[in-house]
Amino acid sequence: MDVMPLLLLVAGSAAVAAAARRTPVPAPLLLVAAGLAISYVPGVPEYTLDPHVVLPLVLPPLLYTAATDSSYLDLRAQLRPVALLSVGYVLFATFAVGWAAYMIVPGLPLTAALVLGAVVAPPDAVAATAVARRVGLPSRITTILQGESLVNDATAITAYRVALAAAVGEGATWAGGIGEFLLAAVGGIGFGLVLMVPLHWLRTHLREALLQNTLSLLIPFVAYAAAEQVHASGVLAVVTVALYLGHRAWEVDFATRLQEEAVWKMVAFVLETAVFALIGLQLPVILRGLGEYEGGRAAWYAVCLFLVVVASRFLWVYPATFLPRWLSSRIREREADPTWKGPFVIAWAGMRGVVSLAIAFSIPLTVHGGAPFPERNLILFLTFTTVIGTLVLQGLTLPPLVRLLKLPGRDTQAETLAEANAQAQASRAAERRLDELLSDEDNALPGPLADRLRTVLERRRNAVWERLGQVNPLTGETVDDTYRRLSRQMISAERAVFVKLRDARHIDDEMLRTLLRRLDLEEAAAYRETV
């Protein structure tokens, strides 16, 4: 097996993503553009997106890391709009896009058109999260988009299976389709509910961070594969487990959390960058299969379908936002009046991604009887152009659109004040506990060490309040920023001495690693990430 193409893909994707950090263009868009450009460079290996790799091996870890980073409580608070988008909109888009494709493309059977509708129906989890994080959307809109993207793949995959069964002549019925959808949804959530408690128990009872993180890496694949074995939704199983584990991550020891965060950031970075590069690299494969449609006709179909995809989201989002308020007085009393701006951003943020392409590539070559699947190559092309169109057009215009609409961003002052209040309450509880412990003779400490504990506690309590204070006019730093910078420079000086002592053979490498580990933990505490 030649691993060089895979290494080139990962290394090249990482390089492009690193370059994107120095530009105003979101990394997913630059990666797609780079993939499109590189796909025709002589000597570049041909990359074919394999659904048997993407769906069971790439999708689960991406969903897992997105779900563990989400807030279960926030998602529960936005359950209605999330459900209306992740289930209602996907089904609406399947029928709307399918019917439009049936009317636009001569000779395309309605069943095959519905397959295309299901394929392009779900917005992409990775694209939505990446762009929302980059443009600084209000927290409610970000929660809705993240929640939608976590669940909508399950709806789309189930709708695709039902439409595909009808297209290949397996006699699918409305009752059978509804039954399959319920099996996938209830079964996927059920598997997640069954697995989440024992998995969390294992995480809290394994004593080594290395073993706990090995388990963490296996969890999304186990949840997905177990659910898919009985035709339940592996997507929902992964999301259910991940939301529970993320909600209870505080019960795992600190070493595991530190290591786990670093591991999953790396995994997500590698997979996300490779996935978006792969989208662009599919162009030669897609065009080679077009055959009779090469030329203006295929491009015309692509433009029409793209417009239908964009318009269908607006046709769903605005009624889904305002009709429930009009029908329910309880909703009107509980929730503030929405403006037209928030739904507009949600409607425009419907970028498609790798899941749509992976599903499209899984369309069989033939139907029952051995006849070719109707217009399979055209469906692949229309899926590809829709994915590229939404990523490029909507992804590039979303940041200026948010600025133009002047949506209120996150209130950092209010968030810092809430953090300071929470830290003050926690510090008071810790201080009371320390007094209780020191009153016991078994916990007797010399005065300097007891004072050190109180100093650390006071420093942690005051640090957040200091972020609300004045800024140094010369450096632009708060007192807290200056403290952390000086602390880091002091630690760097210590680190240099340890290395010098190792080089002079006064200490060995094992001792150096021990000393550096202590400094790393102190630096992490003193210079913690605040954004």
Side-chain angles (χ1 to χ4, degrees):
M1 179 180 178
D2 189 3
V3 298
M4 187 56 67
L6 179 61
L7 295 176
L8 289 173
L9 174 65
V10 173
S13 303
V16 174
R21 294 172 184 262
R22 302 179 179 271
T23 72
V25 181
L29 309 186
L30 204 59
L31 285 160
V32 170
L36 288 169
I38 294 171
S39 63
Y40 279 101
V41 174
V44 171
E46 184 176 285
Y47 294 91
T48 302
L49 200 154
D50 187 349
H52 301 296
V53 172
V54 172
L55 293 180
L57 296 180
V58 175
L59 184 59
L62 289 177
L63 286 170
Y64 181 83
T65 187
T68 51
D69 285 342
S70 301
S71 167
Y72 162 72
L73 296 176
D74 288 347
L75 288 174
R76 189 177 66 179
Q78 304 300 334
L79 184 59
R80 187 188 73 254
V82 168
L84 285 171
L85 285 171
S86 59
V87 179
Y89 166 68
V90 171
L91 295 177
F92 173 75
T94 297
F95 286 101
V97 175
W99 180 257
Y102 171 69
M103 299 300 293
I104 292 169
V105 181
L108 181 67
L110 180 58
T111 51
L114 290 174
V115 169
L116 172 60
V119 165
V120 300
D124 182 66
V126 180
T129 303
V131 175
R133 188 166 53 232
R134 183 70 178 261
V135 301
L137 291 174
S139 56
R140 181 177 182 273
I141 293 178
T142 301
T143 298
I144 291 172
L145 291 175
Q146 287 178 335
E148 175 197 10
S149 62
L150 289 174
V151 180
N152 61 8
D153 290 337
T155 308
I157 291 171
T158 305
Y160 162 77
R161 288 172 177 168
V162 175
L164 183 65
V168 299
E170 292 184 355
T173 63
W174 284 105
I178 294 171
E180 184 167 349
F181 179 81
L182 291 176
L183 171 63
V186 176
I189 294 173
F191 261 97
L193 293 173
V194 169
L195 290 173
M196 65 187 191
V197 174
L199 286 174
H200 179 65
W201 183 88
L202 266 178
R203 275 166 55 82
T204 55
H205 283 75
L206 289 173
R207 295 303 177 190
E208 293 186 32
L210 204 59
L211 291 176
Q212 290 171 326
N213 279 285
T214 302
L215 174 64
S216 177
L217 287 172
L218 292 174
I219 285 172
F221 303 106
V222 170
Y224 186 92
E228 290 291 324
Q229 282 295 315
V230 296
H231 304 290
S233 171
V235 169
L236 289 179
V238 172
V239 170
T240 302
V241 170
L243 284 174
Y244 179 81
L245 296 182
H247 187 63
R248 304 186 72 93
W250 61 274
E251 297 180 8
V252 179
D253 69 86
F254 80 96
T256 297
R257 284 196 301 275
L258 286 173
Q259 192 178 101
E260 188 175 54
E261 182 182 12
V263 167
W264 276 110
K265 276 187 176 181
M266 182 196 68
V267 169
F269 175 77
V270 170
L271 291 179
E272 287 176 11
T273 54
V275 155
F276 283 110
L278 266 176
I279 291 175
L281 289 167
Q282 299 310 298
L283 181 59
V285 179
I286 299 291
L287 292 181
R288 191 166 53 248
L290 258 186
E292 61 178 291
Y293 285 101
E294 288 183 317
R297 271 200 304 159
W300 169 247
Y301 297 153
V303 171
C304 292
L305 188 72
F306 171 77
L307 293 175
V308 171
V309 167
V310 173
S312 67
R313 189 161 173 89
F314 279 90
L315 288 174
W316 179 265
V317 167
Y318 273 96
T321 300
F322 293 101
L323 270 180
R325 295 185 55 80
W326 182 65
L327 295 173
S328 171
S329 59
R330 184 179 177 184
I331 294 176
R332 290 195 298 271
E333 293 170 359
R334 191 175 59 222
E335 299 178 6
D337 290 335
T339 66
W340 64 272
K341 295 180 180 180
F344 193 94
V345 170
I346 291 174
W348 193 247
M351 288 79 71
R352 270 56 177 180
V354 71
V355 172
S356 291
L357 273 177
I359 298 174
F361 273 105
S362 70
I363 297 174
L365 295 173
T366 61
V367 298
H368 280 191
F373 190 96
E375 312 296 354
R376 182 181 186 272
N377 291 329
L378 180 63
I379 291 175
L380 285 174
F381 175 75
L382 294 177
T383 302
F384 179 80
T385 54
T386 300
V387 170
I388 296 295
T390 55
L391 280 175
V392 173
L393 180 61
Q394 294 178 301
L396 281 176
T397 56
L398 186 59
L401 175 67
V402 172
R403 290 192 294 268
L404 180 66
L405 294 178
K406 296 181 179 177
L407 287 172
R410 302 177 71 95
D411 189 342
T412 55
Q413 189 82 352
E415 290 178 356
T416 304
L417 185 60
E419 181 186 352
N421 284 321
Q423 182 62 65
Q425 293 182 46
S427 295
R428 285 194 294 269
E431 203 163 23
R432 289 194 298 269
R433 181 59 178 156
L434 179 60
D435 290 337
E436 293 172 5
L437 292 170
L438 291 178
S439 65
D440 189 338
E441 292 182 358
D442 292 340
N443 297 321
L445 273 180
L449 287 180
D451 291 340
R452 182 179 177 184
L453 286 174
R454 297 187 191 278
T455 300
V456 170
L457 186 60
E458 184 178 359
R459 172 65 202 150
R460 196 155 53 232
R461 178 172 56 231
N462 292 339
V464 187
W465 291 106
E466 287 164 357
R467 295 215 308 271
L468 294 167
Q470 294 182 345
V471 174
N472 187 318
L474 297 178
T475 63
E477 294 178 327
T478 65
V479 175
D480 190 48
D481 292 332
T482 304
Y483 172 87
R484 286 185 283 131
R485 179 171 56 82
L486 297 181
S487 175
R488 195 178 197 187
Q489 291 180 6
M490 290 169 60
I491 290 172
S492 295
E494 289 186 75
R495 189 178 288 120
V497 170
F498 290 148
V499 172
K500 187 180 295 185
L501 290 172
R502 188 277 312 270
D503 293 343
R505 309 307 298 161
H506 294 301
I507 61 174
D508 59 20
D509 281 283
E510 184 175 354
M511 183 175 291
L512 174 67
R513 284 191 288 269
T514 301
L515 293 169
L516 291 183
R517 170 68 175 167
R518 291 176 186 168
L519 288 181
D520 290 343
L521 290 173
E522 287 189 30
E523 186 171 4
Y527 204 80
R528 67 193 179 282
E529 187 178 6
T530 58
V531 294

